[in-house]
Each structure stands twice: as structure tokens, then as C-alpha cells.
Amino acid sequence: MDSETPKLQRRLKNRHIQLIAMGGAIGTGLFLGSAHIIQSAGPSIILGYMIGGLIAFLIMRQLGEMIVHEPVTGSFSYFAFKYWGKFSGFLTGWNYWILYILVAMTELTAIGKYINYWWPEIPAWASVLFFFVLVTVMNLANVKIYGESEFWLSLIKVLAIVMMILFGVYLLFTADVNSSASISNLWAHGGFFPNGFEGLFYMLAFMMFAFGGIELISMAAAETENPDHNIPKAVNQTVIRVFLFYICSLAILLSLVPWNQLNLGDLEHSPFVMIFNLMGIDWAAHLLNFIILTASLSVCNSGMYANSRMLLGLAEQGNAPKLFKQVNSKGIPVPAVLFSALLIFGCVLLNYFVPEKALSYLIYIVVAAAVLNWVMISLIHLKFRQAMRKQGIQSKFPALFAPFTNYLVLAFMAVILYVMWMQGFMLSVLMLPVWIGILFILFKLLNQQKA
């Protein structure tokens, strides 16, 4: 490649990387999704998120070792291509790309509903179009603007959780003797496992998906200042902070109000609304709606960013059209951004024209793609370590207790698939080999055309 050819620019600072990763993992899964889990698992949800947080940390350390060694475009797709073969890179990259196309589509559609909560007279398509254009423009600006926008969007979510934790602690310490607020609520109403260990076990899949998105940090590696220093710092601090946010916020919530007294009939009744209601704030729902809106906008923003960088990486491997290798003078892969944006908007249109049942099949692919993503990271890391040993290269940021932790992650993913199968997500599990088969056929067809 010519030295004058524009390339990605290292303009993301440590604070950007920290919030990008935290923003990817703190979303509607925590703010709303925890309602269903509390009903089934009770206070043991705290242990569940500890387990999920540990697995997420192990995966991130495995990914972190690779991206510190070589902070490149395409992240784990690049490493799969380099250390495992061309199809592995193709599978990993396109799986991640379609995963975030569908996730961004879902979040963008949700934004329209959040706007309708305040202004029902505004057509959903109008607010969806406005935020779609906004996210696309932010991703077509230089990467520092993307970093700043994601920093502030994620900061809103983080500050919301911190404020809830602090106010919850205040309520616990100032609780009246006759108040129901007490740390004993964690075991006084049917025990820590009110529905037995099974109640927690069958919720593990839901909990694990709440940590999805934490790997977004790897997509920004090629545009990070001083990656040797900033990436290890971000990996360690981000996972620990996310872990603490989930554990602390839920532990305090379930101490303030007995879990079996929370009215969580559906996902519109967020457990976090309870804390604001205790403050006597009648606009609690409006505040939560704003927080969730920024959470969705943040995920959509990062999804388009991750998609464009993954598409650029695939093009550099020869696993996507050469057009997507183009980068402008600002360091933005414009064709990759526009193509990803076009598909994201196309998916939004599906919400209007495709029956709801058909859309649910897309969600099954999302679930299967997320599991495949985590499995591939651990498998690629095993291949990476094998290559490093053969070359006698010492890692700058070694993963914890590898390869034992790789096998632990893979075993845990097998458990997640079993839980999904038993909980009625059978089609998601069956879609996994079908999806891999589709990508293999596409890979073979594309390579035959090249030959």
C-alpha cells in the first residue's frame, strides 16, 4: 500500500475508549431486562451477574492480549484470518457485522417508540429518520467526533447508575425503623434462592447477553492513542466498573424493596423506576425514558462505527469488496460507513413492511450470532497463543490462566446454549449451524468467482 494512501487515525484517547466499552455493555439489558430475571431468580440475580461478569472479563482479557499485541482494523476477524485461516476470518467478520446491523436496527426502531412516549403525534418513521441521519453524520465526521459523542452518551448512562447507587445507599442508612428498606431483604423473603438454584440457572442466558457489546473496545484499537498503555487499562478498568455497576445497583435495589413486592409485570415496569418513586418524583418514568433513549442511541452509534471498521478489515483481508478499503483524508472509511448505514436503514424499513413473526426470526439470528461471537474469540485466542509459543514471542498483556480459562468460557457457552434450548429458544440454537453453513456457502461461492 502506498505510504500516501489515507489510513485510520489514532485520535481516540483513554477516556473515549473507557466510555465506548462501558456504553456497549450498559444498556437496556440492565435498565429494563433485569425485571424478568428478578421475577425468576430473586436476589440470586446478584450471583448471576457476578458469574456473567467473570466470563465477560475472561473473554475481554483474551481479546485484550491479541489487540495489544497488534492493534489493527477488524479486530478478532483479523486475528481469525491470520492465525486460523481465511474462512475463519470471513465467518467471524461477517457474523459480527450482521449482528450489529440487526442490533442497530432494533435500537433505532426502539428510539422511535421512546420519542412517541413524549410526543405520540410524531410519526415513528420521522423520529427514526432523524436519529438515523444524526448517527450516520456522526460516523462520517472524524473519529474524534465519534469518540466525543459516544463519550457523552455513555456518560449519561453511567452517571444515572452512579446516582441511583448513591441515593440507594442514602436511603438504606437513613431508613426508618418501620421501613421495609433493609439489607436483610436479600435473604428474608424466601431466601437468597427463592425459586431454588434452577430459578437462577435458567436465567443465565438473559444475564450474559446484558454484557454483550463490551468487546466494542477492540474495534477502536486501530484508532487509539498509545494502544500499549490505553487498551490494557481500558480492558481492566471497564470490566471491573461494569461488574460493580451491575452488582451494586441490583444489590441496593433489592435491599430497598423486597423482590417479591416489586410490580414487574412487563418490561415497561423497570425495577429502577422504584428508586425514583421512593424519592417522590412523579416524572421518574420520563427521566428513565430519557436514559433509555440515550442508551439506545449510544448502542446504535457504536454499532454503525463497529460495522464500518469490521467491513474495512474484511476488505483488507480480501473477504469483502475492495471498495470498502477506501479511507478519506479524515481517516473515515466512507464507503463502509454508508453501506452499513444503508443496511441499518433497510432493516428499519422491515419493521413497517415485514410481519412481526418474520422479524422474530431475525432476532433468533442475533441471539445465535452473539454466542458464536464469544465462542470464536476464545477459539481464536487459543490459535493466537499457539502461534506466539512457536515464534517465542512474550505477550505484553497475557490473558488470565490461559488456556484453562478458554476452556472454561467455551464450557460456559455450551451451558448458555443448553439454557436457551430449555427456555424455548430452540430455534436460536438450531439457527447456529444453519447460519455457519450459509456463510460457508457464500465464502465458497465468492472464492470460486475470484479463481
Side-chain angles (χ1 to χ4, degrees):
M1 185 178 286
D2 191 275
S3 60
E4 298 300 314
T5 302
K7 298 179 181 179
L8 298 180
Q9 300 171 4
R10 295 194 181 277
R11 303 191 67 179
L12 294 177
K13 301 181 183 296
N14 181 54
R15 67 184 178 89
H16 296 137
I17 296 299
Q18 293 273 357
L19 269 295
I20 286 170
M22 276 195 281
I26 300 172
T28 52
L30 173 62
F31 289 115
L32 292 176
S34 53
H36 175 58
I37 303 171
I38 290 171
Q39 285 182 318
S40 299
S44 66
I45 186 177
I46 298 166
L47 176 60
Y49 277 117
M50 284 183 179
I51 295 169
L54 173 62
I55 297 298
F57 181 62
L58 295 177
I59 293 170
M60 281 306 299
R61 283 299 300 260
Q62 291 162 16
L63 185 55
E65 180 175 359
M66 294 187 286
I67 58 178
V68 168
H69 176 72
E70 208 169 346
V72 292
T73 312
S75 182
F76 37 90
S77 173
Y78 168 85
F79 296 113
F81 176 79
K82 183 174 181 178
Y83 298 106
W84 199 357
K86 197 165 185 179
F87 173 65
S88 180
F90 183 92
L91 169 66
T92 308
W94 283 110
N95 176 69
Y96 191 78
W97 185 80
I98 199 67
L99 169 64
Y100 267 92
I101 288 289
L102 296 170
V103 167
M105 172 271 291
T106 306
E107 297 292 345
L108 198 56
T109 305
I111 287 171
K113 294 176 181 177
Y114 301 146
I115 294 297
N116 281 151
Y117 179 82
W118 290 314
W119 300 289
E121 69 278 5
I122 297 177
W125 66 263
S127 46
V128 167
L129 180 61
F130 173 81
F131 284 103
F132 166 77
V133 172
L134 177 64
V135 168
T136 304
V137 168
M138 286 192 292
N139 275 271
L140 287 171
N142 70 57
V143 72
K144 192 170 183 181
I145 290 178
Y146 160 75
E148 285 296 332
S149 64
E150 191 55 30
F151 174 84
W152 291 107
L153 286 170
S154 296
L155 191 61
I156 290 170
K157 292 186 285 186
V158 171
L159 289 177
I161 295 173
V162 170
M163 285 190 293
M164 286 189 284
I165 290 172
L166 292 176
F167 183 70
V169 171
Y170 166 78
L171 286 177
L172 279 175
F173 277 101
T174 59
D176 186 277
V177 177
N178 300 317
S179 169
S180 63
S182 169
I183 197 169
S184 64
N185 285 330
L186 296 179
W187 59 81
H189 302 274
F192 189 68
F193 295 94
N195 295 318
F197 183 74
E198 282 189 0
L200 171 64
F201 180 76
Y202 287 116
M203 289 294 106
L204 284 177
F206 293 97
M207 295 183 200
M208 196 60 203
F209 291 129
F211 290 95
I214 203 166
E215 73 284 344
L216 276 168
I217 187 175
S218 67
M219 300 308 300
E223 294 164 276
T224 304
E225 288 183 355
N226 191 11
D228 284 4
H229 172 74
N230 286 335
I231 291 173
K233 188 175 179 182
V235 168
N236 286 334
Q237 292 184 3
T238 300
V239 179
I240 291 169
R241 286 172 186 170
V242 169
F243 181 78
L244 289 175
F245 285 158
Y246 274 77
I247 303 307
C248 291
S249 60
L250 288 166
I252 289 168
L253 170 74
L254 296 174
S255 295
L256 290 171
V257 181
W259 73 274
N260 55 356
Q261 292 180 24
L262 289 171
N263 180 23
L264 301 173
D266 55 62
L267 291 182
E268 290 181 6
H269 294 89
S270 166
F272 288 91
V273 171
M274 295 300 298
I275 290 179
F276 292 110
N277 285 338
L278 287 169
M279 295 173 70
I281 302 175
D282 56 4
W283 41 266
H286 293 283
L287 181 58
L288 185 68
N289 193 61
F290 172 73
I291 293 166
I292 296 170
L293 189 151
T294 60
S296 288
L297 186 58
S298 166
V299 173
C300 190
N301 190 31
S302 288
M304 193 178 290
Y305 171 83
N307 277 336
S308 61
R309 270 53 179 184
M310 184 59 83
L311 204 50
L312 172 63
L314 284 164
E316 290 177 348
Q317 297 167 21
N319 279 327
K322 291 180 181 179
L323 169 69
F324 299 127
K325 290 171 68 174
Q326 293 180 17
V327 176
N328 70 8
S329 58
K330 295 179 181 178
I332 303 298
V334 175
V337 171
L338 291 177
F339 183 69
S340 296
L342 179 66
L343 265 289
I344 289 170
F345 187 68
C347 286
V348 172
L349 295 178
L350 288 176
N351 285 275
Y352 301 99
F353 301 114
V354 177
E356 195 171 319
K357 189 174 180 181
L359 187 60
S360 69
Y361 287 108
L362 293 176
I363 296 169
Y364 287 132
I365 299 174
V366 171
V367 174
V371 172
L372 181 58
N373 183 44
W374 289 320
V375 167
M376 289 301 290
I377 289 173
S378 267
L379 290 174
I380 293 161
H381 181 252
L382 286 171
K383 295 285 186 181
F384 167 82
R385 282 179 58 85
Q386 189 178 31
M388 292 300 99
R389 281 198 303 273
K390 284 182 180 178
Q391 297 172 40
I393 298 174
Q394 189 69 34
S395 177
K396 299 176 186 175
F397 185 51
L400 296 175
F401 307 111
F404 169 74
T405 48
N406 295 74
Y407 300 126
L408 179 63
V409 167
L410 294 172
F412 187 80
M413 289 300 120
V415 169
I416 293 299
L417 290 174
Y418 171 76
V419 168
M420 288 165 59
W421 183 278
M422 297 300 292
Q423 286 294 97
F425 288 88
M426 196 178 298
L427 194 55
S428 293
V429 180
L430 293 174
M431 277 299 301
L432 199 52
V434 173
W435 176 231
I436 295 171
I438 290 170
L439 287 176
F440 182 74
I441 292 168
L442 288 173
F443 173 75
K444 286 295 184 183
L445 289 172
L446 288 170
N447 277 274
Q448 279 179 3
Q449 289 178 355
K450 289 177 186 176

